[in-house]
Amino acid sequence: MIPISIKVSLDLVKSLYAKFIDWDNEMIDLETSTRSHATNTAISEDLGQVEYILTDKTGTLTENKMIFKRCCISGIFYGNESGDALKDVELLNAVASGSSDVIRFLTVMAVCNTVIPIQSKSGEILYKAQSQDEEALVRAAAHLHMIFVNKNANSLEINFNASIIQYEVLDTLEFTSDRKRMSIVIKDCRGGKTFLLSKGADEAILPHALPGQQTRTFAEAVEQYAQLGLRTLCLAWRELEEDEYREWSLMFKEANSTLVDREWRVAEVCQRLEHNLELLGVAAIEDRLQDGVPETIETLRKAGINFWMLTGDKQNTAIQIALSCNFVSPEPKGQLLLINGKTEDEVCTSLERVLLTMRTTNSEPKDVAFVVDGWALEIALKHYRKAFTELAILSRTAICCRVTPSQKAQLVELLKSCDYRTLAIGDGGNDVRMIQQADIGVGISGREGLQAARAADYSIGKFRFLKRLILVHGRYSYNRTAFLSQYSFYKSLLICFIQIFFSFISGVSGTSLFNSVSLMAYNVFYTSIPVLVSVLDKDLSERTVMQHPQILFYCQAGRLLNPSTFAGWFGRSLFHAIVVFAITIHAYAYDKSEMEELSMVALSGCIWLQAFVVSIETNSFTIPQLLAIWGNLAAFYVINWIVSALPSSGMYTIMFRLCRQPTYWVTMFLIVAAGMGPVLALKYFRYTYRSSKINILQQAERLGGPILSLGNIEPQPRSYDKDVCPLSISQPKNRNPVFEPLLSDSPNATRRSFGPGTPFDFFQSQSRLSSSYSRNCKDN
Amino acid sequence: MSKSYFMGHYRMGNCTEKRLQTIIWFSTFSTLGVHDVHAGFVSVTGGSGSFVDSSFFLARRSIHPSVAHSRFTQQELPACKPILTPRWVISAFMLVSLVFIPIGVASLFASRDVVEIIDGYETHCIPQEFRNDKVKYIQTPGVKPCIRTMTVPKHMKKPIYVYYQLDNFYQNHRRYVKSRSDVQLRENKSENDVSSCEPEDIANGMPIVPCGLIAWSLFNDTYNFSRNNQPLTVNKKDISWKSDRDHKFGKNVFPKNFQSGKLVGGANLSSSIPLSEQEDLIVWMRTAALPTFRKLYGKIEVDLQKGEVINVTLENNYNTYSFNGKKKLVLSTTSWLGGKNDFLGIAYLTVGGLCLFLAMAFTVVYLIKPRRLGDPSYLSWNRNPGGH
């Protein structure tokens, strides 16, 4: 009787939670007009209990909309002042004056790619690219008058300063994630010369530079740009001798047609051509943070959720993004601990040191994060799993860079094995494994397609909706489920206890006090509707929850559904059973002790009590709820009158007889008062003198007035530039590998826009309290 | 009425707005599961109420693929959010105590007004010499008369109900309760429907009417009352429920083969009187839920004066001795709450008193130790780090 009623109500209610997510107008991505969607209807309440969020970077935190921002061409930095190289007068002048370095740089930008230009009817050129980076480069080149116009099977056209230059494409050395670069071999149709144009990650290009060339400036440029959170690409070229190319071309063709190990062979052959490269410059591409990402992360971190960033990007880029989106607080509160090393021993010592620091600083209210790269992670997971697990438990924040999809999944697995509830969020195909591994997978239906969104339990349009998904939908779902499941136990136990008590006065023979119709209808009709409508219940308004995300702790720690609350409901059902039973058998003793009547009196007592129990546990009454609670009570009488009107039924005329007796009504009121009085008194006492945080916020919210001194925190529209620009570009030279103060020379760089003393400042200082608060509470 | 009408703001009166909300809520609710219910308006602002009816129709008809906005889907239904303020709780307890104490007093008075004469006779009606083996005495065939006298303590107004009370008699035992055939009691043609009547279903190869343990154990003590040597008539008509006589016990069902088995349980029934007129049986067949119960024997329809002595000549037939059951004869008047039962009155007074006490206690606590509701300083994350 218990499991069935719970199962049915929970399933009904859960599908409604999912519908609420689908319906939510505040989670529509207006740009692409995609709604949020809950694919999995069964785990909405788990959303409210998330402890770890593992997030991808590109496309999840960022928009995945690449824009060419800066470049460094043969040692000259463009775009550092304005923040946009395309508006840099010097660069424009250099292009106009035809500086050969700049033109070669632009040529590589425009040509070395797999972009396909499409001429639209209006004469505009649209670029179709697999890689967002390439598209950004081609667009930027076009902006600088090097317009990639046309591409046929073997030739491409470039329009530079109104003159058409044609190239013949000889070979394309494609990009693979191992090589981390791509090259193209072209032949200038006018001069007849053959060139190799390459672009790729710094570590894939710089080692292959022409010996003797000064690579240091480029390396510094790369470092600088990474500090700003920009993605960097090194561009290089080389003029090829006719013979050299012809010889290589044969090998390349042969490699391409191998059947065994072709990928490896091709890579090897490519390697033979890509050397002695002449470095042209470094292009920096910005991937803007999505709107509201810092606020979302800050709010969720305040809610006691730990964030891990898992990205395939470079360490510096990842750290910068992490800083700018509140992943880690800047100095002096935040601290980054690096785990690196190429060998087992190096990783081991590094890991030990980080652990030691972590243990000592854990007592301080500091925001400590560790940074690990894919290689070290591989070693740590393989050989030092225990130490790494301890680190994972100690650390609230982690940045894992250069990780593969399977490592992402492994990290999720690691956290799950520590009994944490994990949520993985990502947008691309490389996040699918992580999303599937996590307790809750959230996919962002972004530019990289729907792969992640399809695999996920929830798909949202933008990262910032995660806040609403967790704090509003997750929290409400958890609260509602907690009430509903415990209430279902309560109501079923109530009937069971009464039956047990009755068995003691019926010679322990197992007579059912209630007739079979009542027993059946009790769970189906009499008690299910009021509690089902409690899905509309909201303990706190959405605004209050958003302002006090710390309240999510009650869900994470399972404060509303645990053995002690369950014991409370158990006790309540026992108490109510005693009340109903004792009052019924005493009020209906002697000449009134007729079986059918007595059973209806006890049943009505239960129904009356449950209406009041639902009422007292409801925080906000909407019209449907009021209708359900009291309409249900009325329906109970209507149903019983109908049954009592059927001469063939066992309880023929019973309900009419009872309703005519004053004793019946007097008994009902007595049951309600005796049953609810202590409950109300206890609840009032706890509500007023032992109030939980939820109670306090409820009181604050409903008594009106300003809710706390914190003021309203509206999401601030932040642009990436505003925060990053003031950053000093100079690199701290002597860094301690473990105890690295974060950006010591610009302490409040990411928060410059807010002066001291603003509400935000106050709020920020709260976050660390909250973190220690939630930790402490969790220890209890 | 342009297309932008769907997307724009409706202007309508306040009450119609609410009506529309309600209707839309219902329409949405009724189509739960249909993915794209479009409620047809985006936001509602106050203003003149010109478009209301037509807009309602439009609202129902227009199905927009992406927007489903109603207060229900957005979980924004207007809600009343009461909180347990001291004033509210204290006045609730006050109110309950104020209502309950008078009701308690009234019920107690009602119960005290009832005059009740109880006479337990199960031991007294056994002759002294048989008191060691009561079962043997009761099982010996023959008339076992017994005379009891009762004095009326107070004026008793008619009608005076005559009950027999049995203690420690488990009429609610599972096998006892089930041992009856409602169909057989109701219809003549179903006299063979005795499958549920084990073990009193068939005797001498014939079905028993009425079958089952309940009927078999029919109470068979009889009482004859006299006052001043004048017989006091006991009206045994209309002591059972009319609904039972009309619908549960058949007019053309006659006792048959009853109490003819080896073991005789209780009273025998005249086979010439249909079951619907066998009121003692009908009363008995309404099984009691508690092991102590009273069943109506008859009504005395004259007033009894204080101090009058009533002689009861009873036949002690019913065997409650084998299970230590007690038998009592009860004469009682009634009040608006029924018979004499102080429980409700005392319970009401207790609950009312407790509520009064709680109201007082809460008031005192509230006055001595006021606590500001919703004080943000109680939020631990607003406290100093040293505070915890």
Side-chain angles (χ1 to χ4, degrees):
Chain A
M1 154 157 99
I2 294 170
I4 292 173
S5 96
I6 274 202
K7 192 97 190 80
V8 172
S9 352
L10 277 185
D11 280 354
L12 272 172
V13 162
K14 280 178 175 191
S15 60
L16 199 58
Y17 299 154
K19 279 281 168 222
F20 278 138
I21 293 173
D22 292 357
W23 283 330
D24 197 332
N25 277 355
E26 283 179 47
M27 299 211 300
I28 304 177
D29 185 4
L30 291 176
E31 273 173 44
T32 56
S33 65
T34 33
R35 287 182 162 274
S36 303
H37 179 59
T39 321
N40 190 339
T41 58
I43 56 167
S44 295
E45 56 275 356
D46 289 5
L47 276 175
Q49 295 186 283
V50 169
E51 289 163 300
Y52 273 88
I53 293 181
L54 296 101
T55 167
D56 175 42
K57 185 176 78 67
T58 316
T60 307
L61 299 176
T62 62
E63 282 185 333
N64 208 7
K65 199 151 93 191
M66 308 296 173
I67 299 163
F68 176 78
K69 279 288 168 182
R70 293 169 196 226
C71 60
C72 167
I73 304 171
S74 50
I76 303 165
F77 287 88
Y78 294 104
N80 270 7
E81 283 77 34
S82 59
D84 189 353
L86 299 181
K87 287 183 189 134
D88 195 321
V89 185
E90 277 182 52
L91 181 61
L92 293 175
N93 286 342
V95 173
S97 65
S99 154
S100 65
D101 278 341
V102 173
I103 288 174
R104 275 191 278 170
F105 185 81
L106 290 183
T107 312
V108 177
M109 269 170 74
V111 172
C112 179
N113 52 46
T114 53
V115 175
I116 296 162
I118 295 169
Q119 198 107 26
S120 72
K121 276 177 197 160
S122 58
E124 261 181 298
I125 298 171
L126 299 173
Y127 295 109
K128 292 276 171 204
Q130 278 186 319
S131 148
Q132 301 276 336
D133 296 289
E134 287 186 344
E135 195 185 328
L137 287 181
V138 173
R139 272 180 201 283
H143 202 267
L144 294 168
H145 311 294
M146 180 73 78
I147 306 166
F148 182 23
V149 187
N150 199 1
K151 188 178 198 173
N152 293 327
N154 279 329
S155 69
L156 47 84
E157 277 174 28
I158 280 178
N159 182 345
F160 180 60
N161 280 345
S163 61
I164 303 277
I165 309 167
Q166 282 195 325
Y167 292 104
E168 190 186 336
V169 182
L170 298 176
D171 279 305
T172 306
L173 288 63
E174 275 172 11
F175 176 87
T176 65
S177 51
D178 291 329
R179 276 159 37 78
K180 289 176 185 159
R181 62 175 175 257
M182 71 89 62
S183 305
I184 188 166
V185 182
I186 54 166
K187 191 174 180 183
D188 191 341
C189 291
R190 280 180 307 180
K193 283 181 181 171
T194 317
F195 298 100
L196 170 77
L197 311 182
S198 296
K199 73 171 201 302
D202 52 326
E203 72 259 35
I205 296 284
L206 294 185
H208 302 288
L210 197 64
Q213 203 192 0
Q214 285 292 328
T215 57
R216 222 189 49 173
T217 32
F218 294 109
E220 269 173 23
V222 167
E223 189 82 348
Q224 251 186 45
Y225 291 144
Q227 284 269 314
L228 297 171
L230 302 176
R231 299 157 73 90
T232 52
L233 281 173
C234 290
L235 307 189
W237 88 338
R238 181 158 77 95
E239 198 180 325
L240 298 175
E241 300 298 325
E242 195 75 18
D243 300 344
E244 186 196 1
Y245 171 69
R246 207 171 295 136
E247 203 178 300
W248 177 83
S249 178
L250 289 174
M251 279 167 29
F252 187 60
K253 281 199 183 99
E254 190 196 313
N256 261 332
S257 51
T258 354
L259 292 175
V260 189
D261 276 345
R262 190 174 55 200
E263 212 168 299
W264 181 79
R265 284 284 305 277
V266 169
E268 197 201 42
V269 172
C270 288
Q271 181 100 23
R272 292 194 187 191
L273 201 64
E274 293 166 328
H275 61 85
N276 289 352
L277 296 169
E278 190 186 333
L279 291 179
L280 293 173
V282 178
I285 296 166
E286 184 196 273
D287 187 8
R288 286 165 50 109
L289 280 187
Q290 289 181 15
D291 279 347
V293 165
E295 288 78 19
T296 306
I297 292 181
E298 189 177 320
T299 312
L300 289 177
R301 272 166 62 81
K302 239 182 271 162
I305 298 175
N306 305 330
F307 267 93
W308 283 28
M309 187 206 271
L310 315 178
T311 174
D313 261 353
K314 295 169 58 73
Q315 181 167 311
N316 276 336
T317 318
I319 291 177
Q320 281 311 311
I321 294 283
L323 265 176
S324 57
C325 58
N326 282 328
F327 231 79
V328 277
S329 321
E331 261 286 287
K333 251 170 46 200
Q335 198 172 46
L336 281 185
L337 307 170
L338 295 181
I339 301 172
N340 46 22
K342 292 276 170 243
T343 64
E344 261 181 51
D345 290 342
E346 275 173 44
V347 171
C348 180
T349 41
S350 178
L351 187 63
E352 295 277 288
R353 256 187 301 174
V354 169
L355 250 176
L356 202 68
T357 327
M358 199 71 100
R359 285 196 198 113
T360 49
T361 53
N362 201 36
S363 49
E364 298 168 37
K366 264 207 163 182
D367 213 2
V368 188
F370 72 86
V371 183
V372 66
D373 67 8
W375 182 256
L377 183 69
E378 188 74 48
I379 295 171
L381 282 178
K382 210 170 185 177
H383 301 286
Y384 309 106
R385 200 183 168 89
K386 214 178 143 199
F388 191 75
T389 311
E390 194 191 339
L391 184 68
I393 295 170
L394 282 175
S395 174
R396 293 201 64 202
T397 314
I399 299 165
C400 307
C401 24
R402 295 267 180 239
V403 289
T404 61
S406 70
Q407 279 179 326
K408 289 183 179 185
Q410 275 175 20
L411 284 171
V412 173
E413 175 107 64
L414 181 88
L415 286 175
K416 270 173 81 181
S417 69
C418 304
D419 267 349
Y420 285 117
R421 207 170 293 264
T422 52
L423 182 148
I425 178 165
D427 74 319
N430 58 345
D431 304 315
V432 169
R433 287 182 67 180
M434 159 173 95
I435 284 173
Q436 285 178 334
Q437 181 69 250
D439 293 314
I440 304 158
V442 179
I444 293 195
S445 33
R447 289 162 192 279
E448 280 193 38
L450 291 170
Q451 235 175 326
R454 291 251 163 79
D457 301 314
Y458 298 93
S459 69
I460 54 180
K462 283 275 186 287
F463 184 80
R464 64 169 189 274
F465 299 144
L466 192 63
K467 181 164 80 170
R468 193 172 162 79
L469 189 68
I470 290 177
L471 287 178
V472 173
H473 291 288
R475 191 173 167 281
Y476 284 151
S477 304
Y478 172 78
N479 288 355
R480 291 161 182 174
T481 301
F483 170 63
L484 190 126
S485 50
Q486 297 185 103
Y487 179 81
S488 300
F489 270 98
Y490 156 80
K491 66 169 188 187
S492 304
L493 281 177
L494 177 61
I495 285 284
C496 291
F497 279 131
I498 293 177
Q499 295 275 47
I500 290 168
F501 295 147
F502 182 69
S503 81
F504 288 122
I505 60 160
S506 65
V508 206
S509 58
T511 320
S512 170
L513 175 60
F514 306 104
N515 59 44
S516 53
V517 178
S518 305
L519 274 183
M520 215 163 54
Y522 181 75
N523 272 328
V524 181
F525 297 115
Y526 303 156
T527 59
S528 62
I529 292 141
V531 74
L532 282 181
V533 182
S534 75
V535 288
L536 296 171
D537 190 35
K538 293 164 126 182
D539 56 343
L540 293 171
S541 76
E542 291 163 17
R543 230 185 84 189
T544 317
V545 177
M546 288 296 191
Q547 280 173 7
H548 303 282
Q550 291 93 337
I551 209 73
L552 187 72
F553 168 70
Y554 280 82
C555 305
Q556 287 170 333
R559 281 291 175 87
L560 303 180
L561 176 60
N562 56 34
S564 81
T565 58
F566 188 80
W569 280 97
F570 185 88
R572 184 182 294 191
S573 66
L574 186 60
F575 169 65
H576 281 171
I578 292 172
V579 164
V580 170
F581 185 72
I583 291 179
T584 307
I585 63 166
H586 283 105
Y588 274 73
Y590 305 123
D591 53 314
K592 295 203 199 78
S593 84
E594 199 278 319
M595 189 80 174
E596 297 282 349
E597 275 190 10
L598 194 117
S599 106
M600 275 327 285
V601 173
L603 187 68
S604 332
C606 296
I607 305 297
W608 274 86
L609 272 183
Q610 68 92 25
F612 278 87
V613 167
V614 175
S615 300
I616 208 170
E617 293 297 331
T618 302
N619 296 295
S620 64
F621 293 94
T622 59
I623 294 164
Q625 275 165 293
L626 289 172
L627 276 178
I629 295 172
W630 303 112
N632 182 67
L633 189 61
F636 167 75
Y637 283 98
V638 172
I639 292 174
N640 277 298
W641 283 329
I642 292 171
V643 179
S644 298
L646 303 173
S648 57
S649 82
M651 49 177 285
Y652 178 54
T653 70
I654 297 288
M655 208 59 198
F656 298 111
R657 296 174 70 90
L658 283 178
C659 288
R660 275 199 300 268
Q661 294 171 2
T663 326
Y664 174 75
W665 299 107
V666 169
T667 311
M668 284 306 112
F669 295 138
L670 182 63
I671 288 175
V672 169
M676 295 315 293
V679 175
L680 179 67
L682 204 65
K683 192 176 163 80
Y684 165 73
F685 182 76
R686 292 178 58 171
Y687 192 83
T688 316
Y689 298 100
R690 299 277 182 276
S691 31
S692 71
K693 310 291 173 290
I694 296 178
N695 299 150
I696 292 170
L697 287 179
Q698 278 175 342
Q699 293 158 0
E701 179 183 290
R702 283 158 212 185
L703 293 177
I707 305 179
L708 303 201
S709 42
L710 304 180
N712 302 340
I713 316 298
E714 295 300 327
Q716 307 277 340
R718 292 156 51 109
S719 84
Y720 189 63
D721 302 275
K722 194 172 71 186
D723 295 327
V724 173
C725 276
L727 259 176
S728 133
I729 289 183
S730 71
Q731 176 80 19
K733 288 293 173 227
N734 45 351
R735 303 189 229 157
N736 185 328
V738 169
F739 208 82
E740 184 189 54
L742 236 171
L743 299 173
S744 50
D745 42 352
S746 55
N748 49 359
T750 51
R751 278 283 169 217
R752 185 155 285 185
S753 42
F754 306 102
T758 57
F760 218 104
D761 216 44
F762 177 60
F763 208 62
Q764 222 185 352
S765 66
Q766 302 294 326
S767 70
R768 118 187 108 121
L769 303 185
S770 78
S771 67
S772 62
Y773 150 73
S774 56
R775 284 253 168 238
N776 290 349
C777 288
K778 241 169 245 187
D779 293 342
N780 290 343
Chain B
M1 232 175 269
S2 65
K3 214 178 142 190
S4 65
Y5 181 68
F6 294 100
M7 316 307 292
H9 294 228
Y10 284 148
R11 301 197 164 274
M12 57 187 72
N14 261 343
C15 58
T16 43
E17 171 195 332
K18 267 180 198 149
R19 201 179 91 201
L20 185 63
Q21 294 289 4
T22 320
I23 294 165
I24 281 164
W25 183 79
F26 277 121
S27 65
T28 318
F29 197 75
S30 62
T31 42
L32 267 185
V34 178
H35 194 89
D36 296 311
V37 178
H38 176 39
F41 67 99
V42 175
S43 72
V44 180
T45 52
S48 67
S50 54
F51 282 148
V52 172
D53 284 337
S54 55
S55 72
F56 168 65
F57 277 103
L58 287 168
R60 277 302 284 124
R61 269 189 312 196
S62 66
I63 304 291
H64 193 278
S66 66
V67 187
H69 183 112
S70 75
R71 289 202 175 170
F72 173 71
T73 60
Q74 300 306 308
Q75 305 191 61
E76 282 166 1
L77 288 171
C80 152
K81 302 173 173 177
I83 55 168
L84 298 173
T85 58
R87 185 182 301 174
W88 194 91
V89 173
I90 291 169
S91 32
F93 277 116
M94 252 347 226
L95 185 76
V96 171
S97 69
L98 288 182
V99 172
F100 268 49
I101 292 173
I103 297 181
V105 172
S107 345
L108 213 51
F109 273 116
S111 165
R112 293 286 153 94
D113 276 349
V114 172
V115 186
E116 204 175 63
I117 311 169
I118 304 176
D119 181 53
Y121 61 85
E122 79 279 348
T123 319
H124 297 289
C125 285
I126 304 277
Q128 202 71 45
E129 61 270 28
F130 290 102
R131 294 241 170 120
N132 290 327
D133 194 356
K134 297 170 189 161
V135 179
K136 194 183 170 197
Y137 172 77
I138 204 77
Q139 281 177 340
T140 35
V143 184
K144 303 173 201 72
C146 173
I147 294 174
R148 304 288 301 158
T149 51
M150 298 191 275
T151 317
V152 180
K154 257 164 111 183
H155 176 77
M156 290 174 92
K157 270 173 95 176
K158 67 176 179 185
I160 298 156
Y161 293 92
V162 179
Y163 299 100
Y164 52 90
Q165 175 177 335
L166 295 178
D167 282 10
N168 202 24
F169 190 104
Y170 286 85
Q171 242 197 339
N172 54 14
H173 193 280
R174 184 171 55 89
R175 296 186 60 184
Y176 184 86
V177 169
K178 275 163 58 181
S179 185
R180 62 189 288 165
S181 170
D182 286 337
V183 192
Q184 190 203 44
L185 296 174
R186 194 163 57 234
E187 288 162 359
N188 192 21
K189 60 176 185 278
S190 311
E191 73 171 48
N192 289 319
D193 197 333
V194 293
S195 53
S196 58
C197 289
E198 279 275 351
E200 289 299 319
D201 47 353
I202 289 168
N204 313 323
M206 299 264 286
I208 303 171
V209 183
C211 70
L213 278 176
I214 308 180
W216 173 80
S217 61
L218 178 61
F219 187 74
N220 60 352
D221 284 6
T222 57
Y223 311 107
N224 284 301
F225 297 88
S226 63
R227 176 176 60 169
N228 306 328
N229 294 326
Q230 295 292 313
L232 203 57
T233 40
V234 176
N235 184 4
K236 287 179 73 71
K237 268 259 174 270
D238 289 343
I239 55 172
S240 61
W241 295 3
K242 189 172 183 300
S243 60
D244 282 352
R245 295 196 297 270
D246 293 349
H247 297 278
K248 298 275 177 192
F249 292 82
K251 286 186 172 54
N252 50 3
V253 184
F254 294 90
K256 205 187 271 179
N257 200 20
F258 190 64
Q259 301 290 23
S260 60
K262 229 190 277 171
L263 277 172
V264 177
N268 209 337
L269 294 173
S270 155
S271 57
S272 58
I273 304 171
L275 289 189
S276 62
E277 284 167 37
Q278 306 268 14
E279 295 211 30
D280 279 328
L281 177 76
I282 297 174
V283 169
W284 182 254
M285 296 286 280
R286 278 269 153 211
T287 50
L290 307 175
T292 297
F293 60 89
R294 286 176 188 174
K295 295 220 172 277
L296 194 56
Y297 180 81
K299 289 178 278 189
I300 296 172
E301 280 166 347
V302 287
D303 285 9
L304 295 178
Q305 304 305 322
K306 184 180 174 178
E308 276 182 332
V309 177
I310 297 177
N311 289 312
V312 189
T313 315
L314 56 82
E315 276 181 39
N316 187 12
N317 299 323
Y318 202 65
N319 180 3
T320 57
Y321 303 97
S322 50
F323 52 89
N324 282 327
K326 293 196 175 86
K327 294 193 279 193
K328 291 188 177 100
L329 174 63
V330 179
L331 268 67
S332 171
T333 58
T334 52
S335 69
W336 59 277
L337 275 177
K340 194 176 185 69
N341 190 349
D342 288 350
F343 172 79
L344 279 176
I346 292 169
Y348 260 74
L349 286 179
T350 316
V351 170
L354 279 176
C355 286
L356 191 65
F357 169 75
L358 279 174
M360 298 295 209
F362 283 142
T363 314
V364 169
V365 173
Y366 176 66
L367 291 177
I368 291 175
K369 197 182 150 197
R371 192 179 156 111
R372 202 155 75 79
L373 287 183
D375 191 338
S377 62
Y378 293 125
L379 292 172
S380 67
W381 60 79
N382 270 4
R383 270 189 225 147
N384 289 326
H388 57 97

